[in-house]
């Protein structure tokens, strides 16, 4: 079967090696430029605009991955596409995922799901794991926190589940914004109904991106927002656990 036309170049912010947060093992993490959302707590505002990224060919990206392929494979890892929002450049992302699979690498896609409709079934067939950020289960809160709509993300989660693609759900816990336990309960109930979800990561809001806002000359909206206390983090993890979902 012939494949649809693919993108051979895209715009990227950077790449890095990471262990523990971007999928299993040690991973080559590619930060793709451009994001349609504007999360209040975003730690990577320098990835928001595609125009700020540098153009790079799929071949050049694969050459970089090739330099560390032996290492990440031995370390039980693979390649993670993140951003920004990788699905903003879905053809480029799909081509990288395809080439990684051809090279025998484990692939992960870190996404808000907001542009899930742009992910073709072919792209998803080349994706071993989706790290799906569900930023709130309340429509109004989601809109306030991200500037976008919640429905596309939930639709994408349901589609991934139907396709049997493993998911790790990520939930950023922000006091005063996403710490409503009823809403967490509702999200936990939704997630518990998705058999393809392997785990939930409750990620405490942090301010490590503050310096980037300063450098960009834009205000960091949550500059004065407190970070979550350990007992709140535990409470939220417990809500997921009560629904039979493994939460960390
Ligand atoms: S989806 Fe991610 S990259 Fe985009 S604004 Fe939100 S946190 Fe930042």
């Amino acid at each position: 079967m012939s494949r649809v036309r693919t993108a051979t170049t895209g715009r990227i912010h950077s790449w890095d090696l990471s262990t523990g947060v971007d999928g299993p093992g040690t991973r080559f993490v590619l930060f793709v430029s451009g994001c349609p959302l504007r999360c209040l707590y975003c730690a990577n505002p320098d990835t928001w605009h595609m125009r700020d990224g540098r153009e790079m060919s799929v071949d050049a990206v694969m050459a970089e991955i090739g330099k560390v392929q032996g290492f990440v494979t031995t370390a039980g890892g693979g390649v993670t596409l993140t951003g920004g929002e990788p699905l903003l450049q879905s053809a480029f992302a799909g081509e990288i995922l395809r080439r990684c699979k051809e090279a025998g690498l484990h692939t992960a896609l870190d996404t808000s799901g907001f542009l899930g409709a742009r992910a073709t079934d072919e792209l998803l067939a080349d994706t071993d794991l989706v790290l799906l950020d569900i930023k709130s289960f309340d429509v109004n809160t989601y809109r306030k926190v991200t500037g976008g709509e919640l429905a596309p993300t939930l639709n994408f989660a349901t589609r991934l589940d139907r396709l049997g693609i493993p998911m790790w759900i990520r939930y950023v816990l922000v006091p005063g914004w996403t710490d409503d336990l009823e809403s967490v309960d509702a999200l936990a109930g939704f997630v518990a109904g998705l058999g393809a979800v392997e785990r939930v990561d409750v990620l405490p809001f942090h301010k490590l991106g503050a310096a980037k806002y300063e450098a960009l000359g834009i205000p960091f909206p949550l500059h004065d927002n407190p970070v979550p206390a350990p007992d709140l983090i535990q409470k939220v993890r417990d809500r997921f656990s009560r629904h039979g979902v493994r939460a960390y």
Side-chain angles (χ1 to χ4, degrees):
M1 188 172 59
S2 69
R3 285 182 176 261
V4 287
R5 177 95 181 87
T6 53
T8 51
T9 66
R11 299 193 80 88
I12 66 138
H13 174 272
S14 58
W15 61 85
D16 208 350
L17 283 180
S18 91
T19 304
V21 287
D22 298 299
T26 297
R27 311 192 67 84
F28 180 97
V29 182
L30 185 70
F31 293 83
V32 181
S33 290
C35 183
L37 299 181
R38 290 293 177 266
C39 302
L40 298 176
Y41 52 71
C42 182
N44 296 314
D46 48 345
T47 66
W48 282 348
H49 301 291
M50 258 179 77
R51 63 170 183 266
D52 294 339
R54 66 165 138 149
E55 187 154 345
M56 204 163 163
S57 69
V58 172
D59 284 344
V61 172
M62 294 311 298
E64 290 301 325
I65 292 171
K67 292 178 191 171
V68 295
Q69 175 162 0
F71 172 67
V72 297
T73 303
T74 308
V79 172
T80 298
L81 300 194
T82 185
E85 171 52 68
L87 292 178
L88 190 62
Q89 301 181 64
S90 57
F92 177 60
E95 187 62 7
I96 292 172
L97 291 166
R98 184 181 72 78
R99 294 274 297 270
C100 286
K101 284 314 298 171
E102 276 178 7
L105 283 152
H106 178 274
T107 55
L109 174 69
D110 178 15
T111 175
S112 71
F114 183 65
L115 300 177
R118 291 194 186 187
T120 62
D121 284 351
E122 280 180 336
L123 180 151
L124 295 177
D126 290 325
T127 305
D128 293 315
L129 173 69
V130 174
L131 308 173
L132 183 64
D133 299 313
I134 304 184
K135 292 153 190 294
S136 171
F137 200 63
D138 176 82
V139 171
N140 292 322
T141 305
Y142 192 94
R143 203 176 285 136
K144 282 183 206 157
V145 168
T146 69
E149 298 300 317
L150 170 63
T153 297
L154 301 188
N155 291 341
F156 190 49
T158 307
R159 179 176 163 213
L160 292 171
D161 193 51
R162 208 172 45 239
L163 293 170
I165 297 176
M167 279 176 269
W168 291 5
I169 303 296
R170 318 226 280 181
Y171 186 74
V172 179
L173 178 58
V174 194
W177 293 92
T178 63
D179 57 348
D180 175 63
L181 293 178
E182 268 183 41
S183 172
V184 171
D185 254 337
L187 173 59
F190 172 74
V191 167
L194 303 172
V197 170
E198 294 183 344
R199 60 185 277 166
V200 172
D201 289 291
V202 176
L203 307 173
F205 161 63
H206 62 73
K207 303 184 186 182
L208 299 177
K212 292 186 183 175
Y213 284 85
E214 219 174 297
L216 291 167
I218 52 177
F220 177 31
L222 298 189
H223 188 271
D224 298 322
N225 209 85
V227 298
D231 65 323
L232 175 62
I233 301 168
Q234 196 51 51
K235 255 188 213 160
V236 170
R237 286 183 178 139
D238 288 347
R239 293 289 163 138
F240 283 103
S241 304
R242 274 192 215 170
H243 286 263
V245 179
R246 279 198 302 159
Y248 300 89

